[in-house]
Amino acid sequence: MMKKIEAIIRPSALRAVLDGLKAVGYPGVTVAEVQGHGKQKGITESYRGQSVEGLLPKLVVTAVVGDKQVKKVVNIIVKTARTGEIGDGKIFVSPVSDAIRIRTGEKGEKAV
Amino acid sequence: MMKKIEAIIRPSALRAVLDGLKAVGYPGVTVAEVQGHGKQKGITESYRGQSVEGLLPKLVVTAVVGDKQVKKVVNIIVKTARTGEIGDGKIFVSPVSDAIRIRTGEKGEKAV
Amino acid sequence: MMKKIEAIIRPSALRAVLDGLKAVGYPGVTVAEVQGHGKQKGITESYRGQSVEGLLPKLVVTAVVGDKQVKKVVNIIVKTARTGEIGDGKIFVSPVSDAIRIRTGEKGEKAV
Amino acid sequence: MEFSRLGVRLGWKTAALAAAGFSLLGTVPAGAQQAAPAISAGDTAWLLVSAALVLLMTPGLAFFYAGMVRKKNVLATIMQSFILIALISVQWVIWGYSLAFGPGKSFLFGGLDWLFLKHMPDVSPLAPTVPHYAYMIFQAMFAIITPALICGAYAERLSFKGFVVFSLLWATFVYDPIAHLVWGGGYFGSLGALDFAGGTVVHMSSGYSALALALLLGKRKGYGRENMPPHNLTLVLLGASLLWFGWFGFNAGSACAANALACNAFVTTNTATAMAALMWCAIEMIHHGKATTLGAASGAVAGLVAITPACGYVDLVGSLWIGAIVSLLCYTAIQVKIQLGYDDSLDTFGVHGVGGTWGALATGIWALKSINSAGADGVLAGNPGQFLVQLKTVGFTAVYSIALTVVLYFLVDKTVGMRVGQREEELGLDLSQHGEEGYHI
Amino acid sequence: MEFSRLGVRLGWKTAALAAAGFSLLGTVPAGAQQAAPAISAGDTAWLLVSAALVLLMTPGLAFFYAGMVRKKNVLATIMQSFILIALISVQWVIWGYSLAFGPGKSFLFGGLDWLFLKHMPDVSPLAPTVPHYAYMIFQAMFAIITPALICGAYAERLSFKGFVVFSLLWATFVYDPIAHLVWGGGYFGSLGALDFAGGTVVHMSSGYSALALALLLGKRKGYGRENMPPHNLTLVLLGASLLWFGWFGFNAGSACAANALACNAFVTTNTATAMAALMWCAIEMIHHGKATTLGAASGAVAGLVAITPACGYVDLVGSLWIGAIVSLLCYTAIQVKIQLGYDDSLDTFGVHGVGGTWGALATGIWALKSINSAGADGVLAGNPGQFLVQLKTVGFTAVYSIALTVVLYFLVDKTVGMRVGQREEELGLDLSQHGEEGYHI
Amino acid sequence: MEFSRLGVRLGWKTAALAAAGFSLLGTVPAGAQQAAPAISAGDTAWLLVSAALVLLMTPGLAFFYAGMVRKKNVLATIMQSFILIALISVQWVIWGYSLAFGPGKSFLFGGLDWLFLKHMPDVSPLAPTVPHYAYMIFQAMFAIITPALICGAYAERLSFKGFVVFSLLWATFVYDPIAHLVWGGGYFGSLGALDFAGGTVVHMSSGYSALALALLLGKRKGYGRENMPPHNLTLVLLGASLLWFGWFGFNAGSACAANALACNAFVTTNTATAMAALMWCAIEMIHHGKATTLGAASGAVAGLVAITPACGYVDLVGSLWIGAIVSLLCYTAIQVKIQLGYDDSLDTFGVHGVGGTWGALATGIWALKSINSAGADGVLAGNPGQFLVQLKTVGFTAVYSIALTVVLYFLVDKTVGMRVGQREEELGLDLSQHGEEGYHI
Ligand SMILES: Nc1ncnc2c1ncn2[C@@H]1O[C@H](COP(=O)(O)OP(=O)(O)O)[C@@H](O)[C@H]1O
Ligand SMILES: Nc1ncnc2c1ncn2[C@@H]1O[C@H](COP(=O)(O)OP(=O)(O)O)[C@@H](O)[C@H]1O
Ligand SMILES: Nc1ncnc2c1ncn2[C@@H]1O[C@H](COP(=O)(O)OP(=O)(O)O)[C@@H](O)[C@H]1O
């Protein structure tokens, strides 16, 4: 079985996270730009005196890995993305029932 | 256990949804820009006479919450995002097996 | 029960995948722009002599469908998105515990 | 220098007579050392360049506005300005210039003698050292940008068809008459109203019409409930920069010659603009703790607006005051708008209406005959009468613009329709009006 | 006014003689009231500004094109235009200007006497009131933008190296000869062909070469199967705006003096452009129910193209017709292209080829000696012969451009290679050719 | 031509005397055929246009820089340039112009006689054919862009307040004195230093100050660990294009007249720029296998910088060499920077410092009296002494700029503070300094 690891991180941590993952052999990742809001409040922006509550830019790094690798991968992300300040982000792990490599049609864990 | 709630909404509903969630104590959200297609068909665009089928801009609001809060959160989103017109969007709920707060390393429900 | 099918594809395959899905009656999709890295390495970019490892642009096409349709949908995506070259992408299938149509409040499989 | 805005001071007919006199009788007006001024290549070069600069202002405005709207309306907003370049360029050469500057006796219009630019003398008395075509096309650019300014008020909710019809009528029945009255030989020009480059003609006319339209159209769907921050501020800053750049043609070009008066207008324009940008930032610092980029751009535009009528009549010190005060007024006006809750979406009234009014009145305060002998002294130089003349012109322009806008609004609304439907507005004007999207994956 | 395009009418050598005559013998050509015209600061200012404006057109074109391609090719598309500014600027001062405008007896080339701009007289007879350097650099900007126009045809699939080599050869063996033949004292100039600012020299040469290249290169990978909508229409509109702005230098600058002729060219340029933008929108309304922003911009560019050869020879009414008709022709041409299924990606042929041809022929229809005494009357003024002269020039330009392009294509394709590989095309030219991406997270 | 940079050659006081002589005594300097030159509309048109062009360069620079930073700092980077237009425009008319160009006897400053532009003669001896206001405002634009150039060094980490205070002090205590020393009648001008449009005054002063600041401020958070690619290269290319366009005003405008010297400056500027862009691409091809768009833009800017002091003194061949070599020097300097690991974020020193130094020295190599009789011959024309004069000026400018920057840095850092806190830097300057974001959903 496999898991999807979604790490919401600071944009500035991307390089470190990717390098960390690659160093231990997990090159397969997908990165998306998002905006978020958590303990770290968005900042109040002001446009011609009209206030707007802004969200903060974050990145979601998604890696699907086999169940056994989850811990290792999570640890690497925590290590490389942590600054210790509010806003470091979250990692969510969720079940994946199948994976398919489009190029070959391979299925399951060998496809990730 | 936790669930991931992904709500695909109209961009114009964002403020209401976020305010609604915050009002009941769920500030942790991640928002992504996407495009979509459902019952509400995309519109046909035309560039120098060449037609292109366009998708419509939507936002995905993701919130991971404890199992018990799912209903409440879903209800709030439905209430704040509904206009009653085609195109209001969907909410998908899916299982999350773990959550980790990067800053502290905390795990599980207290991390969300 | 339902499944979420997330297909990470080349941007150039979008039209074919969407048309393929529509042809068999699955118009409900959400598309997001992402960047990724897999077997197909990112390319090294260079800015004033400073090297940067780039990710490659991909699209994620997400469709939530009933369990029974998963196979069919996956097959269509594989067929329409495949070029046979490295970089064709992956499809991940994961469980969805509930779906809600915001407009009507309908739940479950009839909402997707 | 004395010839440049001669018509403004003497009224068009007197100027025409005087100009005719140059060649026929060889008489010279006071202050002129030579007979009929010949066409000057230097002045012509300057006016053609100025016309090109003013043309660029309209795309500049398009980007300034388009960056401020939501993504789904970016193209429609650009399109409003862009298509006006096309529409009014044609309107102007066919009938607009004739209505505004042509010879004739009616109060509101010059007449129809110059339809299709026929029967025009080779040189206009309003710009005696350049070919008439140069002056005509320079003025065309003013006629173009004025209705485009109004776009800020109805952004994100006007139907394209309604917009086109309204704008064409507005150009013909609001802009052309006011241009005639102030510059083209009409009543306010003869009265001695000072408006060097369009404080009343351009900014007040569009600003007050904008106010009327904002009230008539009502708020954008979701206004007050949704966030509507500018979708792309780099576009706003690009627009503001092109406006600042092009405005040198607008203001210094209005001297219609590359002379000392043009240089004065250039310097006062730059100074007031700079001062207004600084002031807007200072006000924001006090009010919110932070100066914003949008604020600096808004201040600059407010400064440009306010100095427009004054630039060829006031000196450096006058321009510093005019620029400093306009930001205070416009910023306040916008905060009041937020309180009142009407939706002048991109603040056309707040900036052009208020700034234009201030500029027109300030001209009556700081004007100096020593800067422009064809002008007049203002209050500070001991001539309070000038302020009254300015006040009259200001009052008329505001009332006339609002009144006509209301009439035209109902006319167009009942026929082609002004506001788009709810669904179209929700979808965005780019898709609903033009079948396009600004940005694609 | 009479001097401006003297060479076009009299042939370069006659003009040179005449100019020489000014100073040596004191004789005056018909219509000139004075001896050798002196350098005029006003004319020089105008020509330098015009040169700067035309320079800006090439980045304008870059953005116009770059907004239309897919995101992965945005930089490569900008780069094609940008690097041509550099490449042709150097080519022109080293050998291009000499080939096109230098003295010499060969049919296709002016000669090599002016390599590195050596041995040039201080003043060109083609622009007798400005320093020769001003005319040379003004012409340089035309030589730059012409090969850049072709980029639209091979967008998204040409290798950078192939592009550079092809463009350099094309500039030397296609542009320089045609410029020589029409403007530089060559055959068509002597024949009396009218091309005020480059309908044949600039737009037809690039447009027909574009057609040949589109056919030779084949379609983009995925063309017809993938959607390829413009990735950023604000960029397209920025480009179109800079083009409109810069084109005043292109067309009105081609009078080489800040005189009434320049004013006429300025006004006809603006009018035809406006008319064409309106027409394109009208056609879209009828065809699709909606006017588009891309359509307005495309129409404007088509109008600019069509009026280019005509602007200094036709009057206002002519410009209205030329602008109105060009949109009909170009729009139709593009629909035909879609039917035929070849891939002139950004419609260089559809706009510049078709529009340039129309403009050149239309000049033969609406030209008036009363507008430009150095020109000629056209069909409507009772001189059908002029249309034949135009037709000859048009025919030659089309055939020569296509023929040479085919030769150069094979030459470059066999050596450095023209089209990128499939994988590079899929990856996008930004990454594969330049190792860069336009936008980063 | 001989008058244009008279002051540079003769020293301001001599020039003033000479100019006075024109009207008082009727004496004529060698080479002048007439008495006191009259105001020329052509020259005035050219200088006003040039001033507008140079104004546009600062937004151009803003976009050039803003495209290179990360998204979260895009507005702050634009704001730095934009607010300097406002700030220095006001500083200049109040005291800057007086300090730099006013009459006075002190070494570093002109004096305070012209505060608020009072007591200025109608015409400056440095630009005797245009109104003094035209020359003053043209110079204002130089004073604006110079501190804006430094922004590249401290990008993404300077506090807005610190930036404003530092820039105002820097303009007053670094720019104004150097402008005085070289152009305003000061020591280096009298010595015969050649700096046509600002190689030392503009580019070296900002470039060396940038180096000092980069070292004093330290690296950006994450520099070397994070990727920091340009977030939007289309913006960079837009900026580079506006810079190239505007630079014609900067360089050819510095002739202060629309004459043959302006044409020479225009042509050498374009040629050196083109050559440098090509060279940068060639170097990249050799070094990395691929030419980049950023490289072409960087090369162009380097070429513009290098030719700035030389453009009115060297001929075409000189400009080709100056352009070709500057890219080699700047590219190398940037690679060295990467090795040394300091963070001159956008390479202000690497491009403006190095390129400005090269340009100033190259002027001493390739200058020709035959191009500009008010100039001097350089090494290649047999006058090695000129190189020494250039060297002195270069040395002084570098040392003075660095020394004063260090002093001002500590002054401002101890009072308002220069660098933002870690969290603010992480958050981005747009949010932390201005409470805005560049792009919204
Ligand atoms: N419950 C949640 N669901 C979805 N996204 C979340 C949730 N909590 C946090 N996030 C995302 O993580 C980001 C960082 O969260 P934050 O609470 O600031 O981090 P920290 O763990 O340092 O308190 C947020 O901006 C948001 O995008
Ligand atoms: N089955 C699905 N899978 C993934 N996304 C979907 C699905 N159905 C709808 N969506 C997303 O939801 C958006 C709104 O759907 P739509 O069918 O228009 O709403 P409604 O519920 O009003 O019919 C779509 O644009 C698409 O992004
Ligand atoms: N394990 C993974 N987790 C998340 N995303 C992945 C994973 N593997 C691949 N991807 C995504 O799929 C894209 C294509 O992967 P790639 O390995 O190049 O395809 P293939 O080898 O199957 O042809 C990548 O760019 C990345 O976005």
Side-chain angles (χ1 to χ4, degrees), chain F residues 21 31 105 139-140 181 238 254 276 376-377 388 393 419 435:
Chain F
K105 294 189 194 308
Q139 283 296 337
L181 283 161
L238 171 63
S254 288
D377 278 331
L388 290 182
T393 320
R419 185 163 177 162

Side-chain angles (χ1 to χ4, degrees), chain F residues 100-419:
Chain F
F101 289 90
K105 294 189 194 308
S106 91
F107 182 74
L108 286 177
F109 293 109
L112 297 172
D113 292 15
W114 294 354
L115 287 191
F116 284 93
L117 309 182
K118 299 264 144 104
H119 315 304
M120 266 168 44
D122 283 354
V123 169
S124 163
L126 300 170
T129 60
V130 302
H132 202 156
Y133 261 36
Y135 184 69
M136 182 284 297
I137 198 72
F138 178 65
Q139 283 296 337
M141 302 308 173
F142 286 65
I144 287 166
I145 199 170
T146 308
L149 291 170
I150 310 178
C151 302
Y154 49 61
E156 312 200 276
R157 58 198 187 284
L158 204 60
S159 104
F160 183 63
K161 278 180 201 158
F163 155 79
V164 168
V165 176
F166 176 85
S167 296
L168 195 60
L169 292 172
W170 191 90
T172 303
F173 295 104
V174 183
Y175 183 80
D176 293 348
I178 299 182
H180 172 74
L181 283 161
V182 177
W183 291 337
Y187 178 71
F188 293 105
S190 334
L191 210 64
L194 299 180
D195 187 357
F196 196 73
T200 51
V201 179
V202 173
H203 297 290
M204 282 192 59
S205 69
S206 58
Y208 284 84
S209 296
L211 177 63
L213 275 181
L215 293 169
L216 289 165
L217 279 170
K219 300 178 203 180
R220 281 167 292 176
K221 192 167 182 294
Y223 181 73
R225 273 180 305 111
E226 277 176 54
N227 284 345
M228 297 177 174
H231 92 282
N232 185 341
L233 276 170
T234 68
L235 216 50
V236 174
L237 267 286
L238 171 63
S241 302
L242 293 180
L243 283 171
W244 194 329
F245 174 61
W247 222 295
F248 289 125
F250 202 89
N251 282 5
S254 288
C256 294
N259 55 16
L261 183 59
C263 296
N264 188 80
F266 196 111
V267 171
T268 53
T269 297
N270 193 62
T271 305
T273 305
M275 198 65 198
L278 292 180
M279 270 301 282
W280 196 294
C281 287
I283 296 167
E284 285 185 329
M285 284 252 188
I286 293 164
H287 191 194
H288 277 282
K290 278 172 188 156
T292 69
T293 316
L294 178 61
S298 306
V301 173
L304 288 162
V305 167
I307 197 65
T308 291
C311 59
Y313 300 115
V314 305
D315 69 357
L316 185 82
V317 172
S319 74
L320 284 164
W321 283 110
I322 290 173
I325 293 171
V326 72
S327 283
L328 209 61
L329 298 175
C330 292
Y331 190 88
T332 307
I334 292 172
Q335 307 316 306
V336 168
K337 175 201 80 169
I338 297 174
Q339 295 305 315
L340 295 181
Y342 71 93
D343 186 13
D344 176 10
S345 314
L346 314 177
D347 295 310
T348 300
F349 177 70
V351 173
H352 298 272
V354 173
T357 307
W358 164 243
L361 296 178
T363 307
I365 300 176
W366 278 281
L368 291 172
K369 263 193 101 103
S370 60
I371 293 293
N372 185 343
S373 61
D377 278 331
V379 175
L380 293 181
N383 177 23
Q386 187 60 38
F387 193 80
L388 290 182
V389 173
Q390 299 298 103
L391 213 54
K392 265 194 214 171
T393 320
V394 159
F396 174 84
T397 306
V399 171
Y400 182 79
S401 303
I402 290 176
L404 264 280
T405 296
V406 173
V407 171
L408 295 179
Y409 170 84
F410 284 110
L411 203 73
V412 179
D413 198 39
K414 296 299 167 227
T415 51
V416 283
M418 285 290 273
R419 185 163 177 162

Side-chain angles (χ1 to χ4, degrees), chain E residues 61-377:
Chain E
L61 185 75
F63 300 128
F64 183 66
Y65 279 169
M68 274 192 257
V69 300
R70 286 164 293 172
K71 218 183 257 187
K72 64 183 176 183
N73 296 315
V74 59
L75 294 183
T77 305
I78 294 179
M79 183 66 159
Q80 290 170 343
S81 288
F82 195 82
I83 205 67
L84 278 179
I85 307 183
L87 193 68
I88 307 300
S89 285
V90 172
Q91 184 263 3
W92 192 251
V93 295
I94 300 186
W95 71 83
Y97 186 63
S98 187
L99 290 185
F101 290 88
K105 294 190 194 309
S106 91
F107 182 75
L108 286 177
F109 293 109
L112 297 173
D113 292 16
W114 294 354
L115 287 191
F116 284 92
L117 309 182
K118 299 265 144 99
H119 315 304
M120 265 168 43
D122 283 355
V123 168
S124 163
L126 300 171
T129 61
V130 302
H132 202 154
Y133 260 38
Y135 184 68
M136 182 284 297
I137 198 71
F138 179 64
Q139 283 297 337
M141 302 309 174
F142 286 65
I144 287 166
I145 199 170
T146 308
L149 291 170
I150 311 178
C151 302
Y154 50 60
E156 313 201 274
R157 58 197 186 284
L158 205 61
S159 104
F160 184 63
K161 277 181 202 156
F163 155 79
V164 168
V165 176
F166 177 84
S167 297
L168 195 60
L169 292 172
W170 192 91
T172 304
F173 294 104
V174 182
Y175 183 80
D176 294 348
I178 299 182
H180 172 74
L181 283 161
V182 177
W183 290 338
Y187 177 71
F188 293 105
S190 333
L191 210 63
L194 300 180
D195 187 356
F196 196 74
T200 50
V201 180
V202 172
H203 297 290
M204 282 193 58
S205 69
S206 58
Y208 285 84
S209 296
L211 176 63
L213 275 180
L215 293 170
L216 290 165
L217 279 170
K219 300 177 203 181
R220 282 166 292 174
K221 192 166 180 297
Y223 180 73
R225 273 178 305 112
E226 279 176 52
N227 283 345
M228 297 177 174
H231 92 283
N232 185 341
L233 276 169
T234 68
L235 216 50
V236 173
L237 268 286
L238 172 63
S241 302
L242 293 180
L243 283 171
W244 194 328
F245 175 61
W247 222 296
F248 289 125
F250 202 88
N251 282 4
S254 288
C256 294
N259 54 17
L261 183 58
C263 296
N264 188 80
F266 196 110
V267 171
T268 54
T269 297
N270 193 64
T271 306
T273 306
M275 199 64 199
L278 292 180
M279 270 301 281
W280 196 295
C281 288
I283 296 167
E284 285 186 328
M285 284 252 187
I286 293 165
H287 191 195
H288 277 282
K290 278 173 186 154
T292 69
T293 317
L294 178 60
S298 306
V301 172
L304 288 162
V305 167
I307 197 65
T308 293
C311 60
Y313 299 116
V314 304
D315 68 357
L316 185 80
V317 172
S319 74
L320 285 163
W321 282 110
I322 290 172
I325 293 171
V326 72
S327 283
L328 208 62
L329 297 176
C330 292
Y331 189 88
T332 307
I334 292 172
Q335 308 315 308
V336 168
K337 175 201 79 170
I338 297 174
Q339 294 306 316
L340 294 181
Y342 71 94
D343 187 12
D344 176 10
S345 314
L346 314 176
D347 296 311
T348 300
F349 177 71
V351 173
H352 298 271
V354 172
T357 307
W358 164 243
L361 297 177
T363 307
I365 300 175
W366 278 280
L368 292 171
K369 264 193 101 103
S370 59
I371 292 294
N372 185 342
S373 61
D377 278 331

Side-chain angles (χ1 to χ4, degrees), chain A residues 11-95:
Chain A
S12 58
L14 179 64
R15 185 80 264 145
V17 170
L18 292 184
D19 287 350
L21 289 175
K22 207 162 27 164
V24 294
Y26 300 97
V29 285
T30 301
V31 180
E33 280 187 276
V34 295
Q35 303 189 27
H37 206 288
K39 286 253 155 44
Q40 185 191 27
K41 296 279 166 286
I43 201 159
T44 302
E45 307 169 17
S46 172
Y47 299 96
R48 288 190 173 163
Q50 211 142 19
S51 290
V52 167
E53 268 187 70
L55 300 168
L56 295 173
K58 300 282 169 185
L59 297 179
V60 180
V61 176
T62 302
V64 173
V65 300
D67 274 7
K68 300 204 198 86
Q69 283 96 43
V70 171
K71 215 169 153 188
K72 196 166 150 196
V73 169
V74 165
N75 283 342
I76 287 166
I77 297 177
V78 168
K79 211 169 62 192
T80 47
R82 177 186 281 164
T83 70
E85 304 268 339
I86 278 188
D88 275 352
K90 307 265 165 95
I91 304 175
F92 300 123
V93 181
S94 50

